[in-house]
């Protein structure tokens, strides 16, 4: 186990390569490598502390998920969740994360790195705000609530589908 | 150890999951790998009767493109598009190496799209309304406009800006005769990367701004001179030969502004292109052509998804577009403007999207020009595919 202490927070790193391989055998590529990227760690932790208004939270990896889901806990109570993941753009992938509250409502989505030449419009924070508290029960309705972006069709659809899937994966496991 | 397990894991992932959405991506390992995609436009055009004269309709696999991309590593990738037009003509639309110098900044070299106009850059058929691309794009831009060069592309995410700048070879303006014309403008001068030659390099650039959600604005410019075979093997001491060769080139300054807006069911689109061509009087005198000294083109389009309030991901987009393109907006003294080159089209139609990247299209066009009161019509039907 490798621990990093940052002020009063603790990070639990993903366990062994074998565990990751087993997880990967199922569905998508579990993006636990984000924990090794200082820039990503900084961005994500800053968002978490701002959203939950806390410097004393702890994150805990949720091993049972195929994707890199974590719970955010304050004094043993779960106050939220987040997931760090990749989704495909035209022929690269972009890295992003979603923060949820304890009821699994989406609180924030941010793109960590966008690699494609086209479609960077999905990084726009104002556009990403459309996902906040969006209903993810029915795909048609959810799809209609998010405006498309001309010139970024592939990335928009990819993010929409991925967010819908991850939101429902979380809702299903938590309930 | 991690890299090996990652590779094995991703191969398993590839075999066991349908995670790749609508595209035919074949990801071999993480960010690396071969990607194959494509797009197609298949048309049926039926002109209406011209007075008492009947006209045959035409059916055409207008274009079929295979996209082949390869990611060598996190930083280097190759992008290519191979195009079949009208079944028998093979061209390359893009073929360039992209190298990420740093996050959000790349250098590109090879055959690239000139970054002007919406449809020149975003030319997959399901991304625009109407069976055919606009004639503003065909004659003024002239799409698909791609040439060889080297450039930078990048973005500033905080400022919601993307940009592209490149140095490229220009149009083939003169090769045993003039290539440009009053009717088609610069279109026949496109070199398309097929043994292109260069006399002088040209410059093209674009800035896109997407700060306001739903709105995408583009500003493009192209500056340079056309190329000419008359310079090849030219004896620079021979003043008359040099002067003659100088007459075979024209100066080109093109500006483009385009805007796209999307909100809910509503789509709005507009574009304005201005091309100033210099030295056209000498060019026309030498080549016997009737090239204008100024060309303009613009269109405004409104679209609405009629299925927006229904519980479906299908879309039925009704649209209307007005476009005007004039290859003789101005001419040099000594030549008269040909009013027939001042063309206007009104297009109204429908697009039925049945899946991401798959559409049926139908529209009717009313075609006219300033030289005559007559109106011509044309029905168009087609399929638009992108995967």
């Amino acid at each position: 186990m490798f621990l990093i202490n940052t002020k009063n927070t603790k990070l639990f790193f993903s366990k062994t390569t074998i565990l990751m391989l087993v997880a990967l055998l199922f569905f998508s590529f579990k993006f636990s490598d984000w924990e090794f990227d200082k820039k990503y760690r900084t961005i994500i932790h800053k968002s978490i502390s701002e959203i939950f208004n806390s410097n004393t939270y702890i994150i805990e990896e949720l091993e049972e998920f195929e994707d890199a889901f974590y719970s955010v806990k304050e004094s043993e109570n779960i106050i939220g969740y987040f997931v760090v993941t990749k989704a495909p753009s035209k022929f690269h992938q972009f890295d992003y994360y979603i923060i949820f509250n304890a009821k699994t409502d989406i609180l924030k989505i941010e793109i960590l790195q966008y690699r494609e030449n086209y479609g960077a419009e999905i990084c726009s924070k104002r556009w990403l705000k459309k996902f906040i508290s969006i209903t993810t029960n029915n795909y048609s309705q959810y799809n209609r609530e998010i405006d498309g972006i001309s010139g970024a069709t592939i990335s928009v659809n990819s993010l929409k589908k991925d967010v819908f899937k991850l939101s429902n994966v979380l809702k299903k496991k938590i309930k | 150890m991690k890299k090996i397990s990652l590779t094995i894991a991703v191969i398993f992932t590839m075999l066991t999951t349908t995670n790749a959405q609508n595209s035919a991506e074949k990801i071999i390992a993480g960010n690396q790998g071969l990607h194959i995609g494509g797009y197609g436009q298949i048309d049926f055009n039926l002109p209406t009767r011209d007075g008492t004269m009947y006209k045959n309709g035409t059916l055409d696999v207008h274009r079929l493109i295979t996209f082949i991309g390869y990611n060598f590593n996190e930083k280097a990738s190759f992008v290519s598009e191979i195009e079949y037009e009208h079944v028998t003509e093979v061209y390359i639309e893009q073929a360039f190496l992209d190298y990420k110098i740093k996050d959000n900044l790349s250098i590109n070299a090879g055959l690239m799209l000139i970054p002007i106009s919406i449809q020149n850059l975003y030319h997959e058929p399901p991304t625009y309304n109407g069976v055919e691309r606009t004639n503003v794009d065909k004659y003024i831009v002239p799409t698909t406009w791609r040439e060889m060069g080297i450039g930078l592309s990048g973005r500033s995410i905080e400022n919601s800006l993307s940009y592209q700048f490149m140095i490229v070879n220009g149009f083939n303006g003169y090769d045993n005769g003039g290539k440009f014309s009053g009717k088609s403008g610069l279109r026949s001068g496109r070199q398309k990367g097929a043994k292109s030659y260069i006399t002088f390099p040209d410059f093209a650039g674009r800035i896109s701004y997407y700060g306001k959600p739903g709105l995408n604005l583009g500003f493009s410019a192209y500056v340079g001179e056309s190329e000419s075979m008359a310079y090849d093997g030219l004896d620079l001491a021979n003043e008359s030969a040099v002067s003659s060769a100088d007459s075979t080139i024209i100066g080109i300054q093109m500006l483009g502004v385009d805007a796209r807006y999307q909100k809910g069911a509503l789509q709005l689109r507009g574009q304005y292109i201005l091309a100033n061509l210099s030295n056209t009087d000498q060019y026309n005198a030498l080549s016997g052509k009737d090239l204008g000294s100024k060309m303009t083109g613009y269109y405004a389009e409104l679209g609405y998804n009629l299925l927006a309030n229904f519980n479906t991901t299908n879309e039925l987009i009704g649209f209307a577009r007005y476009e005007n393109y004039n290859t003789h907006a101005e001419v040099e003294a000594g030549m008269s403007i040909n009013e027939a080159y001042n063309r206007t089209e009104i297009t109204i139609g429908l697009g039925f999207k049945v899946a991401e990247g798959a559409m049926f299209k139908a529209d009717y066009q009313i075609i006219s020009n300033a030289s005559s009161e007559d109106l011509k019509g044309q029905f168009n039907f087609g399929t638009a595919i992108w995967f």
Side-chain angles (χ1 to χ4, degrees):
Chain A
M1 284 270 239
F2 191 80
L3 295 171
I4 283 184
N5 283 318
T6 319
K7 283 193 181 175
N8 295 316
T9 64
K10 275 191 248 178
L11 281 175
F12 293 99
F13 275 55
S14 42
K15 290 179 181 145
T16 62
T17 313
I18 295 166
L19 196 68
M20 203 160 84
L21 178 59
V22 170
L24 287 168
L25 284 175
F26 285 83
F27 288 103
S28 46
F29 167 38
K30 191 166 193 168
F31 187 31
S32 304
D33 281 3
W34 74 272
E35 300 184 58
F36 298 99
D37 186 315
K38 186 180 172 190
K39 186 178 144 206
Y40 286 11
R41 280 204 314 271
T42 312
I43 292 172
I44 292 171
H45 282 290
K46 183 167 176 245
S47 284
I48 294 174
S49 56
E50 272 171 12
I51 283 178
F52 296 109
N53 203 21
S54 162
N55 279 325
T56 53
Y57 66 88
I58 290 169
I59 68 165
E60 209 171 80
E61 184 169 7
L62 301 174
E63 305 287 356
E64 68 271 30
F65 285 88
E66 292 84 31
D67 297 284
F69 273 95
Y70 300 78
S71 61
V72 182
K73 284 182 169 173
E74 181 94 66
S75 316
E76 293 307 305
N77 297 320
I78 292 182
I79 57 173
Y81 303 91
F82 71 95
V83 60
V84 190
T85 187
K86 295 175 186 270
S89 50
K90 186 166 181 176
F91 80 117
H92 293 87
Q93 289 181 306
F94 56 90
D95 306 337
Y96 76 101
Y97 68 93
I98 313 172
I99 298 179
F100 305 86
N101 64 14
K103 291 189 291 180
T104 72
D105 301 320
I106 294 174
L107 296 178
K108 182 172 183 172
I109 298 184
E110 185 176 350
I111 312 293
L112 291 161
Q113 187 168 2
Y114 190 82
R115 298 177 177 89
E116 203 73 50
N117 280 333
Y118 291 119
E121 294 92 332
I122 65 159
C123 303
S124 155
K125 293 191 176 174
R126 286 161 84 174
W127 182 76
L128 289 166
K129 280 193 180 150
K130 309 247 177 178
F131 287 92
I132 295 175
S133 296
I134 197 167
T135 314
T136 55
N137 296 328
N138 171 280
Y139 191 81
S140 297
Q141 185 196 349
Y142 158 86
N143 185 50
R144 281 200 301 281
E145 286 178 34
I146 303 164
D147 291 328
I149 300 175
S150 188
T153 310
I154 291 182
S155 298
V156 164
N157 290 328
S158 174
L159 181 67
K160 272 192 203 175
K161 287 194 174 119
D162 213 47
V163 168
F164 186 83
K165 178 198 89 177
L166 292 170
S167 165
N168 281 290
V169 156
L170 181 67
K171 282 196 294 195
K172 204 170 163 187
K173 289 267 182 174
I174 297 305
K175 292 239 157 99
Chain B
M1 173 62 183
K2 213 163 215 163
K3 272 209 170 105
I4 297 166
S5 65
L6 275 174
T7 313
I8 295 168
V10 176
I11 291 169
F12 270 106
T13 304
M14 202 177 87
L15 295 170
T16 60
T17 188
T18 53
N19 231 354
Q21 3 74 354
N22 61 329
S23 88
E25 291 163 344
K26 294 196 187 335
I27 301 169
I28 298 197
N31 258 344
Q32 295 174 324
L34 177 69
H35 294 254
I36 298 177
Y39 70 84
Q41 180 186 323
I42 302 170
D43 312 333
F44 170 40
N45 309 113
L46 184 63
T48 56
R49 283 178 201 271
D50 191 357
T52 55
M53 193 184 305
Y54 179 83
K55 287 197 164 185
N56 279 340
T58 53
L59 305 104
D60 188 26
V61 181
H62 197 149
R63 43 179 71 91
L64 198 56
I65 280 82
T66 305
F67 168 85
I68 299 177
Y70 191 80
N71 287 323
F72 297 95
N73 54 39
E74 281 267 336
K75 293 191 174 190
S77 49
F78 177 67
V79 172
S80 73
E81 284 186 354
I82 301 165
E83 177 187 35
Y84 280 88
E85 264 200 21
H86 313 295
V87 176
T88 57
E89 298 167 22
V90 187
Y91 284 109
I92 306 293
E93 275 207 351
Q94 298 186 73
F96 66 89
L97 183 62
D98 181 302
Y99 179 70
K100 289 188 185 1
I101 304 168
K102 54 176 196 163
D103 273 356
N104 300 319
L105 182 64
S106 295
I107 188 167
N108 319 114
L111 180 65
M112 300 181 285
L113 296 170
I114 303 297
I116 187 166
S117 135
I118 301 169
Q119 284 183 357
N120 203 50
L121 288 172
Y122 304 102
H123 47 234
E124 293 86 1
T127 65
Y128 55 82
N129 288 318
V131 174
E132 304 283 355
R133 296 181 188 174
T134 72
N135 279 325
V136 169
D137 282 283
K138 184 174 174 184
Y139 290 101
I140 311 293
V141 172
T143 202
T144 307
W145 185 15
R146 70 278 191 193
E147 302 290 353
M148 307 275 285
I150 185 163
L152 289 173
S153 62
R155 57 179 153 257
S156 166
I157 299 213
E158 312 79 60
N159 294 314
S160 302
L161 281 178
S162 294
Y163 56 87
Q164 267 183 278
F165 301 106
M166 55 181 72
I167 297 173
V168 288
N169 71 271
F171 293 102
N172 173 12
Y174 188 89
D175 180 5
N176 263 337
K179 295 291 180 191
F180 302 134
S181 73
K183 183 176 180 207
S184 303
L186 308 173
R187 188 171 172 74
S188 303
R190 291 174 301 162
Q191 299 206 58
K192 308 179 189 177
K195 294 188 185 171
S196 304
Y197 72 95
I198 185 167
T199 323
F200 307 101
D202 295 3
F203 167 84
R206 176 183 176 88
I207 295 177
S208 298
Y209 176 69
Y210 47 91
K212 185 170 174 345
L215 179 64
N216 211 316
L217 293 171
F219 304 92
S220 307
Y222 175 90
V223 174
E225 292 178 330
S226 61
E227 322 297 6
S228 170
M229 280 305 243
Y231 284 95
D232 224 20
L234 183 69
D235 177 5
L236 297 171
N238 183 340
E239 277 182 28
S240 139
V242 169
S243 169
S244 177
D246 286 346
S247 300
T248 62
I249 63 163
I250 61 164
I252 303 169
Q253 292 174 350
M254 224 185 255
L255 286 175
V257 178
D258 54 76
R260 286 163 286 161
Y261 183 69
Q262 205 160 340
K263 181 140 183 81
L266 181 68
Q267 312 167 351
L268 295 172
R269 202 176 263 214
Q271 180 167 294
Y272 177 76
I273 309 282
L274 166 68
N276 280 322
L277 310 176
S278 59
N279 204 40
T280 53
D281 48 352
Q282 288 195 12
Y283 180 87
N284 289 333
L286 188 97
S287 64
K289 298 288 183 179
D290 61 342
L291 184 63
S293 59
K294 181 169 161 181
M295 306 194 295
T296 59
Y298 63 88
Y299 68 80
E301 180 185 295
L302 183 145
Y304 196 86
N305 177 15
L306 301 163
L307 295 181
N309 294 321
F310 291 77
N311 191 22
T312 176
T313 50
N314 288 349
E315 291 179 14
L316 181 63
I317 299 165
F319 77 95
R321 178 171 67 232
Y322 177 90
E323 63 181 293
N324 172 272
Y325 54 106
N326 190 352
T327 46
H328 262 199
E330 273 175 26
V331 296
E332 292 282 8
M335 199 169 106
S336 44
I337 285 179
N338 187 338
E339 297 285 355
Y341 296 161
N342 181 359
R343 293 157 274 190
T344 299
E345 280 158 31
I346 296 172
T347 310
I348 38 176
L350 290 170
F352 182 44
K353 190 176 97 167
V354 296
E356 277 314 322
M359 282 181 85
F360 292 97
K361 293 181 175 182
D363 60 70
Y364 181 69
Q365 292 184 295
I366 302 163
I367 302 158
S368 62
N369 67 66
S371 73
S372 153
E373 296 278 311
D374 294 341
L375 297 176
K376 290 194 197 301
Q378 180 165 292
F379 286 98
N380 302 304
F381 302 90
T383 60
I385 297 124
W386 181 24
F387 57 89

